[in-house]
Amino acid sequence: MIQRPYLLYSYPWMPYPRRVLIFLRERNIPQHLVRPVAVSDPGPNGDRAEEGFPPRPPGSLPVLAVPRADDDGYDHIGDSVAIMRYLDGCCQRGEHGFPEMKKKEMTPMEEARQVAFESLANELTSSWNGVRLMGTAAGPPGLSFPKGSKELLRWIHRFLTAIEGQHLSHEMIDDMIQRTATVAEILLYQFLDFTHDCYGVDLTIGSGEIIKEVYGRDTKDEFPLLRRFWKEFRERKSAIREGREMVPDQFHRNMTNWAEGILESRNIVRK
């Protein structure tokens, strides 16, 4: 049993840290094992950890500080997926007092499909950065490029189409309702939640029409499985935004201030 908690440094409302917060709830990992430490939003007077905790570690957040057994120092793990994989391993082995959760045995094909699903879901949030920087007032002055944002949004559409067609089914969603979510499912939900709650768009709504995707192939612009997945996951206790997970108003105003024509071009509904 560890004597000191792991420390999860994060900006709680931002996408990559919020993935890990959802993961902690899904795995029923209590705060006496992994203690979230909120860091003030970056800026000239920000980027400070809560009082009473060691200073914010270097690197992009989230960062997990793992207490060393032989001294009072910490080892650090960056990258949200790496943190979740590490904590998943602790749960699978029941180490350090973590709630034990045995990993489901998978065939090589099932494991390959899971890796592909996780990769696509992770790519969504990475690709969104260009969409929002060039398409909203959240980007730095002078970077506005609506045509570029609109084109990158087409690639988001392609990733969502791949997930809809290759990794979702009603049977899979029914199964998810009864069990703990996988890392891939958490990544997908976090993206849909982030774009909806922070940027004011619902990416699960399409026009229902046949459109040309980025490589010129015809594809139907609709996501019934993605929409059901998002709605079902949103009802989970792990998905509820708490306290500092709510986007601050001063950021939300800029994040929902889209350049004209970007959202309408993809038949996305403003929220």
Side-chain angles (χ1 to χ4, degrees), residues 8-50:
L8 177 68
Y9 291 83
S10 69
Y11 310 122
W13 63 272
M14 292 189 180
Y16 294 103
R18 183 156 151 75
R19 292 173 168 182
V20 185
L21 295 175
I22 294 172
F23 174 90
L24 293 177
R25 296 174 194 141
E26 281 289 319
R27 298 297 186 270
N28 294 312
I29 298 174
Q31 287 198 9
H32 72 265
L33 291 177
V34 178
R35 171 65 162 86
V37 179
V39 177
S40 57
D41 293 318
N45 300 311
D47 223 18
R48 296 189 302 272
E50 289 181 58

Side-chain angles (χ1 to χ4, degrees), residues 132-159:
R132 61 105 182 173
L133 285 174
M134 294 188 290
T136 75
L143 192 62
S144 179
F145 182 36
K147 288 184 177 179
S149 178
K150 179 178 175 180
E151 182 62 24
L152 286 177
L153 195 55
R154 295 179 67 223
W155 285 91
I156 295 286
H157 181 273
R158 181 173 184 268
F159 296 142

Side-chain angles (χ1 to χ4, degrees), residues 218-235:
D218 289 339
T219 184
K220 195 166 187 180
D221 186 25
E222 66 177 9
F223 305 101
L225 293 171
L226 200 67
R227 185 154 187 80
R228 186 189 169 207
F229 168 87
W230 178 70
K231 286 191 169 185
E232 295 288 359
F233 204 121
R234 198 167 175 83
E235 297 299 315

Side-chain angles (χ1 to χ4, degrees), residues 112-118 120 161-169 172 185 225:
R113 290 185 184 279
Q114 191 68 15
V115 170
F117 182 8
E118 187 176 304
L120 279 170
T161 300
I163 290 173
E164 171 88 12
Q166 300 170 23
H167 299 290
L168 298 183
S169 67
M172 169 264 180
E185 290 160 355
L225 293 171

Side-chain angles (χ1 to χ4, degrees), residues 53 71 79 85 87 97 99 130 143 169 176 187 232 260:
F53 293 94
D71 60 34
D79 184 83
R85 287 191 182 281
L87 295 175
L143 192 62
S169 67
M176 182 191 71
L187 297 181
E232 295 288 359
E260 186 177 354

Side-chain angles (χ1 to χ4, degrees), residues 121-242:
N122 196 32
E123 185 67 29
L124 285 166
T125 301
S126 299
S127 298
W128 184 257
N129 205 38
V131 176
R132 61 105 182 173
L133 285 174
M134 294 188 290
T136 75
L143 192 62
S144 179
F145 182 36
K147 288 184 177 179
S149 178
K150 179 178 175 180
E151 182 62 24
L152 286 177
L153 195 55
R154 295 179 67 223
W155 285 91
I156 295 286
H157 181 273
R158 181 173 184 268
F159 296 142
L160 292 175
T161 300
I163 290 173
E164 171 88 12
Q166 300 170 23
H167 299 290
L168 298 183
S169 67
H170 286 299
E171 292 75 17
M172 169 264 180
I173 297 171
D174 289 340
D175 181 54
M176 182 191 71
I177 293 170
Q178 305 299 323
R179 58 164 169 77
T180 300
T182 66
V183 170
E185 290 160 355
I186 291 170
L187 297 181
L188 177 58
Y189 174 75
Q190 166 268 311
F191 171 74
L192 298 172
D193 169 72
F194 178 59
T195 51
H196 179 276
D197 287 6
C198 297
Y199 283 90
V201 295
D202 187 340
L203 289 165
T204 68
I205 295 179
S207 65
E209 300 174 355
I210 301 299
I211 63 172
K212 296 289 185 184
E213 53 101 73
V214 290
Y215 288 119
R217 292 185 287 261
D218 289 339
T219 184
K220 195 166 187 180
D221 186 25
E222 66 177 9
F223 305 101
L225 293 171
L226 200 67
R227 185 154 187 80
R228 186 189 169 207
F229 168 87
W230 178 70
K231 286 191 169 185
E232 295 288 359
F233 204 121
R234 198 167 175 83
E235 297 299 315
R236 299 169 84 97
K237 290 183 179 180
S238 64
I240 298 173
R241 289 182 180 269
E242 300 177 352

